[in-house]
Amino acid sequence: MSKIIVDGVELDVPPEYTLLQACEAAGKEIPRFCYHERLSIAGNCRMCLVEVKGGPPKPMASCANTVRDLRPGPNGEPPVVLTNSPMVKKAREGVMEFLLINHPLDCPICDQGGECDLQDQALAYGRDRSRYTEGKHAVENKYIGPLVKTEMTRCIHCTRCVRFTAEICGTSDMGMIGRGEDSEITTYLQEAMTSELQGNVSDLCPVGALLPKPQNFRARPWEYNKTPGIDVMDALGSAIRIDTRGREVMRILPRVNEAVNEEWISDKTRQIVDGLKTQRLDRPYLRENGKLRPASWPQAFAAIAAKVQATAANRIGFIGGDLSSVEDLYAAKSLAESLGTRNIDARQDGAKLDPALGRASYIFNPTVEGIDRADALLIVGSNPRWESPVLNARIRRRWRQGGFHNANFPIALIGEPFDLTYSYDYLGAGPELLAKIAKGEGFGEILAKAERPMILVGQGALAREDGAAILALAAKLGAPRKNEKTGDWTGLAVLHTAASKVGALDIGFVPGEGGLDAQKMAKAGAQDVVFLVGADEIAVEPGAFVVYIGSHGDRGAHRADVILPGAAYTEKSGTYVNTEGRVQMSDRAAFPPGDAREEWAIFRALSAALGKPLPFDSLSQLRAKLYASHPWLGHIDAIPATDAARLAALPGGALGQGALVSAISDFYLTNPIARASRVMGECSALAKARRTAQAAE
C-alpha cells in the first residue's frame, strides 16, 4: 500500500491505483469522458485533470497516471494531490470550452438530454460562456446497424465505443478515420456492427452521439418508472432495469451485478421491447369447428374441465416453457399432482438432465465469476457467443489475460466451429473426441495439468440420445478437485439456454415414476390432454386436446384448442434460477393487457373449476408453500451449496456418431417475444445475409 494525500485527506491505496481511483477512494468526484472502469485507458479527453504538488507545473490526467508514478515530498512526505485548486478549475473549464467548440446546441431534441454526461459536467465544471464564435463543424451521420442511431456531430472522440467493440466484443467493429478536425468514428465502410453486445455502446457514449435507434424520440428519462428485473432471454439471468411509461415498457437497460453480467446485456435483452406488445394474447380463446373464437374465462374453464374430467390421469400431461418463472411451474406441478398425473416435464429440448442425479449435474458449478479464475477451458457442443453473449465476453476477457503456464489461456472446442471472438483449438465435432480427452489424450493432458479446468457443456450436447453419456464424461473431466493453494474447484459447467430450466429442475418439474417426458408427450396418441405452460419450442402432434397458457400467439397458441392469456416476464413478480444456480427475483414493471393474468393465478382459478383447489390464494401464500418444500429458493441472490462428489457416480452409456451442434441456430429468434419483435426480425435477416455473403466468398 502507498500513502497519498488527496485534498488534505491521507489514505492508503494500492500503488497500481490510478490517481483517479485514489481520488475516488478519498471521496472526491473526478469528471471524465474517455475513462471507463472496464476499458483500457485512453487518456484523450483530459477532463480528469488534477494538480500534483511537487510534480510538473501543469495539471495531470488522473486516469493515465498511477500512484506509484508520484514521488514523495522533500522530507519523505506522501504525495499531495489537489482536485479542486484554481489550476484544476481553470484547466477543466478550458477543456470543456474546447469540447463544446463544435458541439451542437440541440439538447432540447437530443434523446440523451436528462442523462447526458456532457450536459452534467458542462454545468458543474464548465464556463458560463464561450470565447469561440466561429461556425460549428458538422459531421455526416453513419449507418452502423439497426440498433444504434448516430448523431456524429455530437461525438467528442472519447473512443469508448472503439475500445468496447475491440476489447469486450472482440469484433473491432468501430474505429477512427481521418486526422485532426477531420477525425471521425465509424464502422468499416459504414457497415452494420456484428456483435451481439453492440447496443451497450449507447450506454457508454457520454454525449448522445450513439443512441438506441428503436427507442428514438419515444420519451424523456424523467418520464420513466424504473423497476429492477431479471433478463429471461438466456439463462445467465442478467440484472436489468425495466423502464415503463404508463402501462407500456419503453426500454430495458442493464443494472450492475458484478457476479453475473457486470454492466452489460445482450442486444436481444435490450431490444425485444417492441415484441412485448406485439402478437399478445389478451383474452381466452376456444377452438370450434377448426377455428379459434374469443371466449370468457368461465367458458374456457368449462371446456377444459369437461375434457379433463373425461380423461384418465395418465393421459394428461404438462410441458413447461422456457420463460416461465418458478412460481408458475410450481403452480402447474401442484395442479398436476392434484390431478394424479406424473406426466410433467420442462425439458422441451429433450436434454438428458435429471435432478435425481444431484444439483451439481445440471448447473454451472464454477460460477460465472469463476471464469476469471479458470486456467483451461473445453467447450462441448455449445456456441456461447449465441447462447450467452455476456458470459462469452467474460470468457474472452479471461482469454486476453492469459496466464496458464506462461502461455495463453488454453481453449478447445468440440462441436460446431464458430467465431467466438477468441482463438481456440478446434478438435472436431464428434463426441468420441470427448472420450479420448477423458482418457488423458490430446487436450486431456492440458486439463490434467490445470488446477482449475472448466468443461463447458451446451444443451446441444445434452439434448441428444447420448446426452447422458456426454454429461458423464464431462463430469469426469470436471470432477471436484481439492487444492490447499487454490481451494476447492468443480469444473463441470452446464450452460443452459432457457431461463426456466434450472428452476424447473430444482422443483422437480420432470416426469415422476412411470411418467412421460416432453418428447413422448408430444407424440401422436401419447396423451389426450396436454397443458403447454408457455411452451412454444415443441410441436405437439395431432390427436391431443391442447391447452396453451402463455403471453404470445406463437407456436403453442397455433396448436391450441384452448388459449388462456398469460403475463410476460415484465408483467409479473417471479423467481428465476440462472445457469449457475443463483436464485434471483424480478419485480413487476407493467400489467398484462386485457384479460391476461399471471400463470400461477390462472392455475389457481382453473384448479377451482376442476374441483381440486390449490392450497394458496395469493403469491405470498404460494411462495410460502414453495419455500417450505424447497428452502434454498428463498435465499435470493445466493447459490446454494451442492454435493459435487455425486458427479463421479453419473451413469454413462454409449456415445452416438452424429456431430455436436449448438442448440441455437438463430440468436435473434429464440423465443416467442423475440419472434414477435420487428427489430429482432430485422437483425436476424441482416445476420443471415451476412453469413450468406461470407459463405459465398
Side-chain angles (χ1 to χ4, degrees):
M1 302 294 282
S2 299
K3 287 189 179 298
I4 186 173
I5 299 175
V6 179
D7 290 346
V9 178
E10 182 176 318
L11 68 157
D12 294 320
V13 295
E16 63 272 14
Y17 261 29
T18 63
L19 297 185
L20 190 151
Q21 291 173 307
C23 292
E24 289 191 335
K28 303 299 179 182
E29 181 180 352
I30 304 296
R32 84 294 297 269
F33 292 113
C34 69
Y35 176 81
H36 192 276
E37 291 81 356
R38 305 188 196 278
L39 304 176
S40 61
I41 294 173
N44 54 11
C45 78
R46 319 308 286 182
M47 193 63 201
C48 63
L49 297 172
V50 296
E51 181 182 355
V52 178
K53 290 293 185 181
K58 61 179 182 180
M60 295 176 62
S62 61
C63 72
N65 293 274
T66 62
V67 174
R68 63 161 56 97
D69 295 331
L70 304 183
R71 58 188 180 186
N75 299 317
E77 302 94 338
V80 177
V81 177
L82 302 177
T83 66
N84 200 27
S85 66
M87 177 195 291
V88 172
K89 187 174 184 296
K90 183 178 180 181
R92 289 177 181 168
E93 289 178 351
V95 169
M96 182 61 68
E97 194 173 1
F98 276 118
L99 289 175
L100 295 176
I101 288 175
N102 289 314
H103 198 82
L105 300 177
D106 60 353
C107 292
I109 62 167
C110 176
D111 260 9
Q112 196 83 344
E115 49 189 13
C116 173
D117 291 348
L118 182 64
Q119 195 177 55
D120 295 340
Q121 294 183 37
L123 179 65
Y125 303 102
R127 295 166 57 91
D128 59 348
R129 61 180 57 85
S130 173
R131 291 169 287 180
Y132 292 90
T133 58
E134 292 79 8
K136 293 183 179 291
H137 178 65
V139 180
E140 182 181 357
N141 291 332
K142 311 293 191 301
Y143 171 78
I144 62 175
L147 301 181
V148 182
K149 175 178 179 286
T150 60
E151 293 286 347
M152 300 314 293
T153 300
R154 302 171 184 160
C155 181
I156 62 171
H157 301 164
C158 72
T159 69
R160 280 188 179 184
C161 56
V162 176
R163 286 174 283 148
F164 174 78
T165 58
E167 298 167 13
I168 306 298
C169 300
T171 55
S172 298
D173 285 328
M174 304 194 73
M176 181 178 287
I177 61 173
R179 299 183 66 184
E181 70 171 353
D182 295 325
S183 298
E184 297 181 18
I185 300 290
T186 182
T187 57
Y188 183 68
L189 298 180
Q190 296 194 32
E191 292 184 346
M193 290 192 284
T194 59
S195 172
E196 294 78 19
L197 299 169
Q198 61 182 273
N200 291 285
V201 299
S202 60
D203 295 335
L204 289 171
C205 184
V207 297
L210 302 175
L211 296 165
K213 186 179 289 186
Q215 279 83 47
N216 195 37
F217 300 130
R218 296 194 66 200
R220 286 296 192 179
W222 52 84
E223 298 179 285
Y224 296 133
N225 290 318
K226 304 171 179 62
T227 307
I230 299 299
D231 173 45
V232 299
M233 294 297 108
D234 57 36
L236 182 63
S238 299
I240 58 175
R241 194 187 83 194
I242 306 166
D243 288 356
T244 57
R245 187 178 64 175
R247 296 177 63 93
E248 183 179 359
V249 175
M250 304 298 289
R251 66 176 181 178
I252 294 175
L253 297 177
R255 287 186 293 123
V256 176
N257 188 335
E258 298 291 348
V260 181
N261 61 304
E262 298 180 296
E263 60 182 85
W264 317 123
I265 54 174
S266 72
D267 295 334
K268 185 165 55 177
T269 299
R270 184 186 298 269
Q271 299 296 4
I272 49 82
V273 172
D274 63 318
L276 288 168
K277 62 178 182 179
T278 305
Q279 204 171 324
R280 288 300 304 270
L281 299 173
D282 59 357
R283 66 182 69 179
Y285 287 87
L286 282 175
R287 189 177 297 277
E288 292 182 353
N289 301 321
K291 293 184 179 181
L292 290 169
R293 67 164 182 86
S296 65
W297 282 102
Q299 290 174 333
F301 285 162
I304 297 171
K307 191 67 178 180
V308 169
Q309 290 168 358
T311 304
N314 64 345
R315 302 288 294 178
I316 301 173
F318 288 73
I319 300 178
D322 291 349
L323 308 183
S324 300
S325 68
V326 174
E327 290 86 351
D328 297 336
L329 294 176
Y330 182 76
K333 182 186 177 186
S334 299
L335 179 58
E337 291 174 345
S338 68
L339 294 176
T341 180
R342 296 174 179 176
N343 304 320
I344 62 172
D345 198 5
R347 302 165 298 180
Q348 293 185 80
D349 55 1
K352 303 303 183 289
L353 297 170
D354 191 342
L357 301 176
R359 200 168 193 259
S361 68
Y362 60 83
I363 66 171
F364 202 96
N365 289 281
T367 73
V368 175
E369 284 187 301
I371 294 173
D372 301 334
R373 298 184 291 120
D375 51 14
L377 172 63
L378 174 63
I379 302 174
V380 182
S382 175
N383 175 2
R385 180 173 174 180
W386 282 1
E387 294 174 17
S388 184
V390 176
L391 182 140
N392 190 66
R394 200 150 193 160
I395 296 176
R396 171 178 164 77
R397 185 179 69 185
R398 177 66 188 90
W399 169 78
R400 292 179 67 226
Q401 293 172 348
F404 176 75
H405 293 291
N406 298 320
N408 287 332
F409 176 53
I411 304 175
L413 171 67
I414 299 176
E416 193 176 9
F418 199 81
D419 177 13
L420 298 178
T421 71
Y422 41 82
S423 61
Y424 57 84
D425 295 329
Y426 181 60
L427 306 180
E432 70 278 358
L433 296 167
L434 185 62
K436 293 180 180 180
I437 292 175
K439 295 177 181 178
E441 302 176 16
F443 196 76
E445 296 181 5
I446 295 178
L447 295 177
K449 295 177 182 177
E451 295 177 344
R452 294 179 295 273
M454 181 180 295
I455 317 300
L456 191 156
V457 185
Q459 299 302 295
L462 300 176
R464 297 163 39 110
E465 290 300 323
D466 59 351
I470 293 175
L471 179 63
L473 288 173
K476 178 181 177 182
L477 291 168
R481 302 189 181 193
K482 293 185 179 294
N483 189 305
E484 294 182 0
K485 182 177 67 173
T486 60
D488 295 346
W489 177 266
T490 302
L492 177 63
V494 178
L495 180 59
H496 291 272
T497 56
S500 67
K501 186 73 70 65
V502 177
L505 294 171
D506 276 350
I507 64 172
F509 203 94
V510 293
E513 184 178 354
L516 303 180
D517 61 23
Q519 304 299 310
K520 293 179 180 178
M521 280 189 273
K523 296 295 184 182
Q527 298 284 270
D528 292 334
V529 179
V530 176
F531 289 86
L532 299 180
V533 189
D536 291 280
E537 314 307 322
I538 190 170
V540 180
E541 296 179 4
F545 182 86
V546 176
V547 180
Y548 176 77
I549 303 99
S551 60
H552 284 70
D554 201 67
R555 299 166 182 168
H558 294 165
R559 171 65 183 84
D561 295 286
V562 178
I563 296 175
L564 304 178
Y569 72 103
T570 58
E571 299 159 359
K572 59 187 175 185
S573 175
T575 302
Y576 299 91
V577 186
N578 77 347
T579 192
E580 61 180 347
R582 183 183 301 274
V583 182
Q584 301 172 294
M585 186 173 290
S586 181
D587 293 334
R588 180 170 61 188
F591 289 90
D595 292 334
R597 297 291 184 269
E598 298 175 38
E599 281 86 339
W600 71 264
I602 293 175
F603 284 115
R604 172 61 183 85
L606 178 59
S607 67
L610 295 173
K612 299 180 181 296
L614 297 178
F616 49 80
D617 295 315
S618 65
L619 184 59
S620 59
Q621 293 178 1
L622 185 155
R623 284 176 174 162
K625 296 284 185 181
L626 175 65
Y627 298 159
S629 56
H630 308 284
W632 63 90
L633 293 174
H635 301 290
I636 305 301
D637 202 33
I639 302 177
T642 59
D643 184 10
R646 297 181 61 187
L647 292 177
L650 292 187
L655 292 174
Q657 298 297 322
L660 301 180
V661 296
S662 170
I664 293 179
S665 58
D666 190 333
F667 166 73
Y668 296 101
L669 303 177
T670 57
N671 59 64
I673 302 175
R675 288 190 286 268
S677 167
R678 178 193 60 80
V679 176
M680 291 297 99
E682 184 177 352
C683 291
S684 175
L686 187 64
K688 288 180 181 177
R690 186 186 300 118
R691 292 196 295 272
T692 302
Q694 291 174 347
E697 292 178 354

